[in-house]
mmCIF file of all heavy atoms in Angstrom:
data_model
loop_
_atom_site.group_PDB
_atom_site.id
_atom_site.type_symbol
_atom_site.label_atom_id
_atom_site.label_comp_id
_atom_site.label_asym_id
_atom_site.label_seq_id
_atom_site.Cartn_x
_atom_site.Cartn_y
_atom_site.Cartn_z
ATOM 1 N N SER A 82 23.901 12.599 1.256
ATOM 2 C CA SER A 82 24.203 13.263 -0.037
ATOM 3 C C SER A 82 25.446 14.118 0.170
ATOM 4 O O SER A 82 25.941 14.312 1.297
ATOM 5 C CB SER A 82 23.017 14.056 -0.532
ATOM 6 O OG SER A 82 22.022 13.157 -0.938
ATOM 7 N N VAL A 83 25.914 14.719 -0.987
ATOM 8 C CA VAL A 83 27.240 15.232 -0.978
ATOM 9 C C VAL A 83 27.586 16.275 0.078
ATOM 10 O O VAL A 83 28.638 16.151 0.719
ATOM 11 C CB VAL A 83 27.639 15.711 -2.422
ATOM 12 C CG1 VAL A 83 26.789 16.892 -2.861
ATOM 13 C CG2 VAL A 83 29.120 15.990 -2.514
ATOM 14 N N SER A 84 26.773 17.275 0.272
ATOM 15 C CA SER A 84 27.119 18.351 1.278
ATOM 16 C C SER A 84 27.256 17.756 2.676
ATOM 17 O O SER A 84 28.195 18.083 3.398
ATOM 18 C CB SER A 84 26.064 19.468 1.273
ATOM 19 O OG SER A 84 25.995 20.045 0.028
ATOM 20 N N CYS A 85 26.299 16.946 3.045
ATOM 21 C CA CYS A 85 26.314 16.348 4.398
ATOM 22 C C CYS A 85 27.488 15.376 4.516
ATOM 23 O O CYS A 85 28.159 15.339 5.556
ATOM 24 C CB CYS A 85 24.980 15.685 4.667
ATOM 25 S SG CYS A 85 23.646 16.876 4.915
ATOM 26 N N TRP A 86 27.682 14.598 3.435
ATOM 27 C CA TRP A 86 28.761 13.629 3.507
ATOM 28 C C TRP A 86 30.094 14.349 3.708
ATOM 29 O O TRP A 86 30.933 13.961 4.546
ATOM 30 C CB TRP A 86 28.798 12.829 2.182
ATOM 31 C CG TRP A 86 29.892 11.835 2.098
ATOM 32 C CD1 TRP A 86 29.938 10.619 2.645
ATOM 33 C CD2 TRP A 86 31.180 12.022 1.437
ATOM 34 N NE1 TRP A 86 31.147 9.990 2.344
ATOM 35 C CE2 TRP A 86 31.917 10.868 1.680
ATOM 36 C CE3 TRP A 86 31.692 13.085 0.709
ATOM 37 C CZ2 TRP A 86 33.183 10.708 1.142
ATOM 38 C CZ3 TRP A 86 32.995 12.956 0.205
ATOM 39 C CH2 TRP A 86 33.709 11.743 0.434
ATOM 40 N N ALA A 87 30.313 15.482 2.938
ATOM 41 C CA ALA A 87 31.546 16.201 3.028
ATOM 42 C C ALA A 87 31.747 16.842 4.362
ATOM 43 O O ALA A 87 32.888 17.113 4.812
ATOM 44 C CB ALA A 87 31.594 17.308 1.907
ATOM 45 N N LEU A 88 30.646 17.114 5.080
ATOM 46 C CA LEU A 88 30.794 17.796 6.356
ATOM 47 C C LEU A 88 30.579 16.853 7.552
ATOM 48 O O LEU A 88 30.295 17.298 8.685
ATOM 49 C CB LEU A 88 29.835 18.966 6.412
ATOM 50 C CG LEU A 88 30.282 20.127 5.522
ATOM 51 C CD1 LEU A 88 29.200 21.194 5.412
ATOM 52 C CD2 LEU A 88 31.551 20.743 6.014
ATOM 53 N N GLY A 89 30.727 15.559 7.334
ATOM 54 C CA GLY A 89 30.741 14.651 8.483
ATOM 55 C C GLY A 89 29.535 13.755 8.638
ATOM 56 O O GLY A 89 29.350 13.139 9.690
ATOM 57 N N GLY A 90 28.706 13.705 7.643
ATOM 58 C CA GLY A 90 27.490 12.913 7.720
ATOM 59 C C GLY A 90 27.748 11.407 7.957
ATOM 60 O O GLY A 90 27.043 10.746 8.736
ATOM 61 N N GLU A 91 28.866 10.973 7.390
ATOM 62 C CA GLU A 91 29.197 9.543 7.536
ATOM 63 C C GLU A 91 29.558 9.220 9.016
ATOM 64 O O GLU A 91 29.177 8.202 9.552
ATOM 65 C CB GLU A 91 30.363 9.273 6.643
ATOM 66 C CG GLU A 91 30.552 7.776 6.306
ATOM 67 C CD GLU A 91 31.590 7.546 5.254
ATOM 68 O OE1 GLU A 91 32.332 8.481 4.916
ATOM 69 O OE2 GLU A 91 31.685 6.401 4.806
ATOM 70 N N THR A 92 30.301 10.135 9.617
ATOM 71 C CA THR A 92 30.715 9.965 11.035
ATOM 72 C C THR A 92 29.468 10.032 11.950
ATOM 73 O O THR A 92 29.376 9.301 12.894
ATOM 74 C CB THR A 92 31.732 11.085 11.434
ATOM 75 O OG1 THR A 92 32.734 11.152 10.447
ATOM 76 C CG2 THR A 92 32.314 10.790 12.786
ATOM 77 N N CYS A 125 20.858 21.701 2.662
ATOM 78 C CA CYS A 125 22.337 21.530 2.499
ATOM 79 C C CYS A 125 23.174 22.611 3.187
ATOM 80 O O CYS A 125 24.256 22.386 3.629
ATOM 81 C CB CYS A 125 22.719 21.490 1.034
ATOM 82 S SG CYS A 125 21.602 20.527 -0.020
ATOM 83 N N GLY A 126 22.602 23.820 3.296
ATOM 84 C CA GLY A 126 23.263 24.945 3.915
ATOM 85 C C GLY A 126 23.553 24.723 5.357
ATOM 86 O O GLY A 126 24.341 25.393 6.011
ATOM 87 N N GLU A 127 22.841 23.732 5.941
ATOM 88 C CA GLU A 127 22.985 23.456 7.365
ATOM 89 C C GLU A 127 23.584 22.058 7.589
ATOM 90 O O GLU A 127 23.369 21.395 8.622
ATOM 91 C CB GLU A 127 21.670 23.563 8.103
ATOM 92 C CG GLU A 127 21.031 24.896 7.919
ATOM 93 C CD GLU A 127 20.544 25.504 9.186
ATOM 94 O OE1 GLU A 127 20.042 24.793 10.036
ATOM 95 O OE2 GLU A 127 20.750 26.745 9.340
ATOM 96 N N ALA A 128 24.271 21.577 6.582
ATOM 97 C CA ALA A 128 24.863 20.233 6.675
ATOM 98 C C ALA A 128 25.867 20.083 7.839
ATOM 99 O O ALA A 128 26.442 21.122 8.205
ATOM 100 C CB ALA A 128 25.568 19.908 5.372
ATOM 101 N N PRO A 129 25.917 18.929 8.399
ATOM 102 C CA PRO A 129 25.210 17.691 8.093
ATOM 103 C C PRO A 129 23.791 17.674 8.782
ATOM 104 O O PRO A 129 23.601 18.251 9.849
ATOM 105 C CB PRO A 129 26.101 16.594 8.712
ATOM 106 C CG PRO A 129 26.906 17.249 9.773
ATOM 107 C CD PRO A 129 27.014 18.692 9.399
ATOM 108 N N VAL A 141 24.328 19.021 12.567
ATOM 109 C CA VAL A 141 24.292 17.981 13.578
ATOM 110 C C VAL A 141 25.659 17.305 13.684
ATOM 111 O O VAL A 141 26.069 16.539 12.786
ATOM 112 C CB VAL A 141 23.253 16.882 13.289
ATOM 113 C CG1 VAL A 141 23.161 15.925 14.431
ATOM 114 C CG2 VAL A 141 21.900 17.519 12.954
ATOM 115 N N PRO A 143 28.228 14.644 15.529
ATOM 116 C CA PRO A 143 27.950 13.327 16.105
ATOM 117 C C PRO A 143 27.477 13.469 17.571
ATOM 118 O O PRO A 143 26.539 12.802 17.965
ATOM 119 C CB PRO A 143 29.264 12.603 16.015
ATOM 120 C CG PRO A 143 29.985 13.221 14.841
ATOM 121 C CD PRO A 143 29.590 14.660 14.848
#
Side-chain angles (χ1 to χ4, degrees):
S82 290
V83 66
S84 300
C85 290
W86 178 82
L88 289 170
E91 201 173 9
T92 311
C125 318
E127 304 230 320
V141 188

